[in-house]
Amino acid sequence: MGGRVNQQLARYVPALLLALLLLGPILALLVRWLSSSDDIPLLAFINAGTLLLVGKSLLLSCIVAVLASLMGTICGFLLYRLKFPFRGFYKILLLLPLLVPPYIFAVAWKDGFQWLFSNSTVINPELGMIIVHTLVLFPLAMLITGTALSQIHSGLEEAGLMRVSFRKMLVKIVLPLIRPALTISFLLILIISLSDFSVPAFFGVNNFTTEIFTQFSAFYNHQLAISQSFLLVILCLILLLSENRYLSDAPFFSVHVKGSSTKHYSVHKGKTILHILLWILLLVVLVLPLVMLLHQALSGREILFSRAWELLSPTIYQSAKLAFLGALLISAIGFWVAFMKERSHFPHLNTMLLLTFIIPSTVLGVAVIKFYNHPSTNFIYTSILILLITYVSRFGFIAARIIGNGIKQVPVSLDEVSRVIGIPPIKRFFSISIPLLLPAIFTAFVLSFVLCLGELGTTIMIYPPGTELMPVKIFTIGANAPLALTSSMTLISFGVTMIFILLFFLMGKLIFKRFRYE
């Protein structure tokens, strides 16, 4: 009896603590909103202007979701189901935009419009935001649909091809099987685009996230900002609940699908055209933004790289340190949440991380400030702890799903057999579970590191005094600095991110080579 009580305490006490740290700010913000005694009525913010802003934000994000999902689905089929040379090379390079902070591409394309038209305002800011969000987020749709396509058993397609043409087989068999993946990709891209702050801010687009930031930080109209925040949260929750059963158990971040029997199609005719199309896509997605940044950085009266390095270099170590600590914490919590869901059948923590994941960045920033800005929690509010808590709220769900999908592919019988033969729990954990799950844990760590390194929307609102971070520095200086200086700083930030990705890639090759298992 005592052992069972201890097990329950070991389960619920950390879960309640995590809920307090992550959900506490959101719930406190909701209570503050409902119990407000300000002169502004509870629903006074709902007017024609607000509804137009809602419609505009949803329309822009829907366009992005449609375009990115379409591009990602096509690329997913080409790169995950066709057999042709350098397929892995294309796949890795096309996934890079997902690992690079979106503000880098926003600066690049804004500079590109300045370069091409001698005036960045010639292109509609909303169009610029759509272009950048589409090019940055389509790899997510490619990853989701590609993973789903890889899990279709070859026997289903072979049986279909015996009766109908290849095109009909795709429409009648493949598309219905990957419908959940198509829904997830559209929904995730819509939510991410709707809640992103950095790209609309760089282009000067007035949408819900930038309006909330302006009301809270510039006009100090906290009640209106909180009211608008909850309207945005309600929109995201409606989108979330519409497909919650797919999202909460999303299989799209699998490191490796073991035991799959996927049919791959060889490309005989049109191989040259396929390579040309993929190279054009790579040029548009990766090469052209870098060329535009480099051109703008060198187009000033003087080369400003040394000045840009002088401004940005103090932030690199601190940004990398915080990203490293955040990635460690996210990976540890993600492992625990994934294990509780997959092995202990305790899915509530996973649902909690999903809820905090879909909270828009500026809304989360408002909630965290209001919750932790008190004498009793001042040690959190004035230290890096507030950043680490925010990182877990923003990206913990992704790490939990990556590791959770790894746990799903480890047979439960391995743990049962080791328990029967008398291997102690701690030894089972470090000798069996960790080696088998190390690729998934490492992937979760790397992705969390990169996301923390480039996070701007919440960080710019809550970073404590004395803390200098790369994205915040570029955003604040870029508001009044020459384009050449902003472009130089952005290029340095891109280079730093690529160096870390390369280092992790080399480390990952060693880890995956040693611990690869089928």
Side-chain angles (χ1 to χ4, degrees), residues 39 69 85 96 220 234 243 251 338 348 362 366 370 496:
D39 295 333
S69 297
L96 281 180
Y220 299 101
I234 290 169
E243 294 294 340
H348 309 297
T362 50
V366 173
K370 290 293 184 181
V496 170

Side-chain angles (χ1 to χ4, degrees), residues 76 80-81 141-153 157 174 177-182 184 251-254 257 262:
Y80 284 80
R81 299 305 302 273
M142 182 183 79
L143 185 63
I144 294 172
T145 56
T147 302
L149 288 166
S150 299
Q151 295 174 347
I152 298 176
H153 197 279
E157 297 178 52
V174 174
L177 289 174
I178 66 170
R179 190 195 72 82
L182 296 174
I184 288 172
F252 47 82
F253 286 117
S254 297
V257 180
T262 306

Side-chain angles (χ1 to χ4, degrees), residues 344-417:
S344 299
H345 307 290
F346 189 73
H348 309 297
L349 293 171
N350 183 75
T351 303
M352 181 184 68
L353 290 182
L354 175 59
L355 288 172
T356 59
F357 171 69
I358 63 106
I359 297 295
S361 56
T362 50
V363 177
L364 184 62
V366 173
V368 167
I369 289 172
K370 290 293 184 181
F371 186 73
Y372 288 108
N373 189 14
H374 293 283
S376 59
T377 54
N378 197 52
F379 71 98
I380 295 177
Y381 184 72
T382 58
S383 69
I384 64 171
L385 291 176
I386 193 171
L387 287 172
L388 297 179
I389 291 172
T390 303
Y391 290 157
V392 174
S393 297
R394 297 276 288 135
F395 312 121
F397 173 73
I398 298 176
R401 290 319 317 140
I402 293 174
I403 299 172
N405 291 326
I407 293 174
K408 281 182 179 180
Q409 299 182 60
V410 176
V412 181
S413 57
L414 287 177
D415 188 66
E416 293 174 346
V417 170

Side-chain angles (χ1 to χ4, degrees), residues 175-336:
L175 283 180
L177 289 174
I178 66 170
R179 190 195 72 82
L182 296 174
T183 304
I184 288 172
S185 64
F186 175 85
L187 205 55
L188 278 178
I189 291 171
L190 176 62
I191 290 174
I192 293 172
S193 176
L194 188 64
S195 62
D196 179 53
F197 168 78
S198 60
V199 175
F202 272 103
F203 277 102
V205 176
N206 183 30
N207 68 351
F208 238 116
T209 52
T210 55
E211 178 67 14
I212 291 169
F213 178 81
T214 301
Q215 292 294 337
F216 188 84
S217 300
F219 297 138
Y220 299 101
N221 194 344
H222 293 186
Q223 178 61 17
L224 182 58
I226 291 171
S227 299
Q228 292 178 334
S229 297
F230 271 102
L231 187 55
L232 187 54
V233 168
I234 290 169
L235 290 175
C236 291
L237 283 176
I238 291 172
L239 296 172
L240 165 69
L241 293 174
S242 65
E243 294 294 340
N244 178 52
R245 64 194 182 97
Y246 291 139
L247 278 172
S248 61
D249 200 32
F252 47 82
F253 286 117
S254 297
V255 177
H256 179 59
V257 180
K258 290 161 278 297
S260 63
S261 178
T262 306
K263 184 177 180 62
H264 292 90
Y265 301 95
S266 298
V267 179
H268 300 293
K269 296 181 180 179
K271 190 181 296 185
T272 302
I273 297 176
L274 180 60
H275 282 289
I276 291 174
L277 291 176
L278 288 172
W279 270 109
I280 291 175
L281 184 59
L282 283 175
L283 286 173
V284 173
V285 171
L286 285 177
V287 178
L288 189 56
L290 290 178
V291 171
M292 292 187 294
L293 275 177
L294 187 60
H295 176 271
Q296 194 65 40
L298 300 176
S299 62
R301 296 180 179 178
E302 57 178 328
I303 306 301
L304 297 176
F305 275 107
S306 58
R307 174 63 178 156
W309 175 256
E310 181 183 344
L311 290 170
L312 210 57
S313 57
T315 70
I316 294 175
Y317 171 74
Q318 198 161 38
S319 298
K321 180 184 72 173
L322 282 171
F324 181 81
L325 293 174
L328 280 179
L329 185 60
I330 290 169
S331 301
I333 292 176
F335 179 86
W336 175 54

